[in-house]
Amino acid sequence: MTTENIRTYDVIVIGAGPVGENVAGRTSAAGLSTVIVESELAGGECSYWACEPSKALLRPVLLRADAMHVPGLDPAVKGLLDTEAVLAHRDRMSADWKDDGQVAWIESAGIDLLRGRGRLAGEREVSVETPVGDTVRLRARHAVALCTGSRAVLPPLPGIENLRPWTSREATSARKPPRRLAVVGAGVVGVEMATAWQALGSRVTLLAREQGLLPRMEPFAGELVTERLREAGADVRFNVSVAGAERLRDGEVHITLSDGGELTADEILFAIGRAPRSEDIGLDTVGLAPGDWLVTDDSLTVTAVPGDWLYAVGDVNRRALFTHQGKYQARIAGAVIGARARGEQLDTGRWAPHSSTADTEAVPGVVFTDPEVASVGLTVRQAERAGRSVEVVDHEIGQVAGALQYRPDYRGRARILIDRDRQVVVGATFVGPGVGELLYSATVAITGEVPVERLWHAVPAFPTISEVWLRLLETRSNS
C-alpha cells in the first residue's frame, strides 16, 4: 500500500551530485528552505564513477611515467605498478561507493535529503517515488532546479543488450584489469581509460573514428598523446569504427570493424558521447520533450518554460560537460534563485554575478593522460569558425628550464591565442607533464581580460614550468 503526502519548500533540487549539492548549498545559505532529491548515491557520477575514481587510477600511472625519466629514480620505478594497491586507492577515493560523508555534509548545510526518483508534476511541483513505494509530493515556492546530469551513450548495434559493454562507470569501477580491452572513442574518457588500463596490465586497442585523438582540442594535443600511448604498448587505430560486436559463450568479445577487420577482446568500452538524464523526469508535464537537452539562458533559467521558476544546471543543459563547470553554473544559479526570491533585479551582463559567461568564453579542462593536456577558451579551429581574428603564439615547453628540472627529456607545447582587436588572451592550450597546474593562470588571464602588455608584469618564478608564459610573450614580440 502506498501513501502520499505533500511538503512545501522554497527550492527543490533534483539530483544530489556536485552540481545539485552546490545549488542547494547556495540557496540554503541564502535562507531558503531547500530539499534535494536523489535516486542513487549523494555525491553523484563524479564522486563514484567519473572524476574521483578515474583520477585515482591515473595518478600513480602519471607519477610513475615522470619518475621513470628522472635520474636517480628511473631504476626504482621500472617494474610493474602494484595494481592491487592502485585499485584499493581508487576504492578509497570513491568512498567505497558509500555516501555517508556526502549525506553528513548535506545535513550540516541545513538541506533536507529525500531519497527516491523525482519527476516534475507541473509548475513548481515534483513527485518523488521513494524506495519503499510511497509517493511524496513536493511544492516549491520559488524554484525547481534540474541537476540530473548525463549518461554514457551506447551505439545502436544489434544485440548490444547481450554484449554487456563497459561504459565510463564500469571502466572506473572494474575490480581487475581485463587482459585485452577494446576502447571505442577518441575523446577524454577514451584516452584516459586507455592510459590507465594499459599501465595497469591490459593490452589496449583504441579505436578512433576520426583521424586523431582529442578532436575538439588543438591537433598537436592528440598527436603527443597518441605517440605516448603507442610507446606504452597500446594499439591506436584511426578512421575505424565498430560495425558489430558479440560476446561469445566463453566470455570473449568478438568485434567486427568498419574496415573489414576483426578484433577479439575480453571487454569493450564505449566512450562515444553523453546524453542527458532527462528521459524520465516529467518534462512533458511542463511542455518539454522527455530525453532532450534543456536549453537555458545565461542565468540557467529554462527558456521554454514561462515564469522564471525552472532551472537546468550542469550536464543536463549541455553548456559545458565538466563537473567544475557545472559547479560554477550552480553558484550562478544559486545566486539567481536567491536574488529573485528577494525580489531583486538580476545583473546579467557579461561576467556579472547572475550570468554564466564562462560557459562560452573560458571553459577549462584537463585530460589526465601522459602527457597531460590542459586547455581553456578557444582553439584555432573554434576561432576561425566564430570569425574571430587571433594571433597564434606557440612555444616548446621543453625549452623552459623549469620543465627540464621536472623531467630532463621533457616534451610539450604551449599555445595562446590573442584577440587582434582587444589584445587579450582568448585561448590557451598546454600539452606536457604537469601542465594541468598552468591552467588556472590562463583562465584568470582570459576571464580577467588582462591586456597582453600587462602580462609582462606577471613574473613567473624561476625555475618553474610557468616560465613558459614569459617565453610565449617573447616569441610574440620577436615574430
Side-chain angles (χ1 to χ4, degrees):
M1 179 177 179
T2 63
T3 61
E4 182 174 68
N5 58 68
I6 299 175
R7 307 177 194 174
T8 300
Y9 290 86
D10 291 324
V11 180
I12 302 168
V13 179
I14 301 180
V19 176
E21 287 181 336
N22 273 268
V23 172
R26 293 290 167 138
T27 57
S28 180
L32 301 175
S33 61
T34 302
V35 61
I36 192 165
V37 181
E38 177 54 56
S39 61
E40 292 190 287
L41 296 176
E45 197 82 10
C46 176
S47 299
Y48 309 105
W49 301 287
C51 317
E52 293 287 7
S54 66
K55 276 54 192 181
L57 289 173
L58 286 159
R59 176 57 181 157
V61 172
L62 301 184
L63 185 60
R64 176 175 174 267
D66 288 338
M68 287 179 67
H69 295 266
V70 176
L73 283 175
D74 46 331
V77 294
K78 286 189 174 176
L80 297 175
L81 285 168
D82 184 338
T83 300
E84 185 175 334
V86 173
L87 295 178
H89 171 60
R90 184 271 317 272
D91 293 351
R92 287 191 297 273
M93 292 304 295
S94 303
D96 291 308
W97 292 274
K98 298 175 183 177
D99 64 2
D100 300 25
Q102 300 282 350
V103 172
W105 178 85
I106 290 171
E107 293 174 346
S108 72
I111 303 162
D112 285 355
L113 172 64
L114 179 58
R115 292 193 184 271
R117 182 165 295 282
R119 298 177 178 89
L120 289 169
E123 183 174 343
R124 291 184 171 86
E125 292 201 356
V126 172
S127 176
V128 182
E129 181 183 342
T130 71
V132 296
D134 292 340
T135 299
V136 178
R137 196 86 165 184
L138 302 176
R139 289 178 178 162
R141 296 185 186 93
H142 297 293
V144 176
L146 303 176
C147 307
T148 51
S150 64
R151 57 176 174 79
V153 170
L154 290 174
L157 294 174
I160 196 163
E161 63 277 1
N162 300 317
L163 182 60
R164 303 190 306 279
W166 278 11
T167 66
S168 51
R169 283 198 168 197
E170 290 77 19
T172 55
S173 61
R175 307 315 303 172
K176 63 180 181 179
R179 187 166 63 90
R180 298 160 300 179
L181 174 64
V183 178
V184 185
V188 176
V189 173
V191 297
E192 285 192 345
M193 290 298 93
T195 298
W197 290 111
Q198 177 70 36
L200 290 170
S202 297
R203 190 162 74 246
V204 170
T205 302
L206 178 56
L207 306 173
R209 185 169 54 185
E210 302 86 354
Q211 179 55 44
L213 302 182
L214 302 172
R216 295 185 181 181
M217 296 185 166
E218 299 287 10
F220 63 82
E223 291 166 5
L224 286 168
V225 171
T226 299
E227 180 182 303
R228 186 66 193 99
L229 275 171
R230 285 174 169 164
E231 288 176 358
D235 179 5
V236 182
R237 307 185 192 182
F238 298 131
N239 301 311
V240 65
S241 58
V242 174
E246 178 186 9
R247 190 172 290 273
L248 306 177
R249 289 184 178 180
D250 61 4
E252 289 187 337
V253 178
H254 180 261
I255 304 164
T256 305
L257 303 177
S258 58
D259 62 4
E262 296 182 343
L263 180 66
T264 301
D266 297 284
E267 300 292 350
I268 182 170
L269 162 62
F270 286 105
I272 58 174
R274 308 288 296 179
R277 291 184 181 273
S278 65
E279 65 278 3
D280 188 25
I281 58 173
L283 293 184
D284 55 308
T285 68
V286 295
L288 300 175
D292 278 0
W293 298 99
L294 298 177
V295 178
T296 74
D297 59 21
D298 283 351
S299 72
L300 289 314
T301 307
V302 177
T303 55
V305 177
D308 293 340
W309 63 272
L310 185 62
Y311 299 79
V313 193
D315 278 14
V316 74
N317 63 32
R318 207 184 192 178
R319 291 171 67 92
L321 276 65
F322 291 100
T323 295
H324 49 267
Q325 206 69 22
K327 291 165 70 174
Y328 160 75
Q329 293 175 13
R331 296 190 290 271
I332 302 295
V336 169
I337 293 167
R340 282 179 170 155
R342 295 187 295 270
E344 298 173 359
Q345 185 73 28
L346 296 187
D347 182 357
T348 57
R350 196 163 178 267
W351 302 116
H354 303 133
S355 180
S356 54
T357 310
D359 284 344
T360 54
E361 298 290 335
V363 176
V366 178
V367 188
F368 291 86
T369 45
D370 175 23
E372 284 184 354
V373 181
S375 67
V376 61
L378 297 174
T379 63
V380 171
R381 184 182 300 130
Q382 291 166 344
E384 290 173 347
R385 288 177 178 172
R388 302 277 289 272
S389 177
V390 295
E391 298 178 57
V392 181
V393 186
D394 290 345
H395 191 78
E396 296 300 318
I397 303 178
Q399 296 175 6
V400 174
L404 297 177
Q405 291 282 2
Y406 190 96
R407 189 158 151 172
D409 63 345
Y410 195 106
R411 290 194 61 220
R413 189 170 173 186
R415 168 173 289 177
I416 59 172
L417 307 185
I418 299 170
D419 187 294
R420 292 184 186 277
D421 298 323
R422 295 188 295 133
Q423 291 297 296
V424 295
V425 178
V426 293
T429 298
F430 306 98
V431 183
V435 296
E437 298 304 327
L438 292 176
L439 190 57
Y440 190 67
S441 57
T443 305
V444 170
I446 293 172
T447 59
E449 298 180 336
V450 181
V452 176
E453 290 305 314
R454 178 66 61 84
L455 289 176
W456 283 101
H457 299 281
V459 181
F462 182 87
T464 63
I465 301 176
S466 63
E467 199 178 12
V468 73
W469 277 101
L470 180 57
R471 301 285 91 85
L472 286 163
L473 296 175
E474 290 172 344
T475 298
R476 176 177 182 254
S477 65
N478 293 331
S479 62

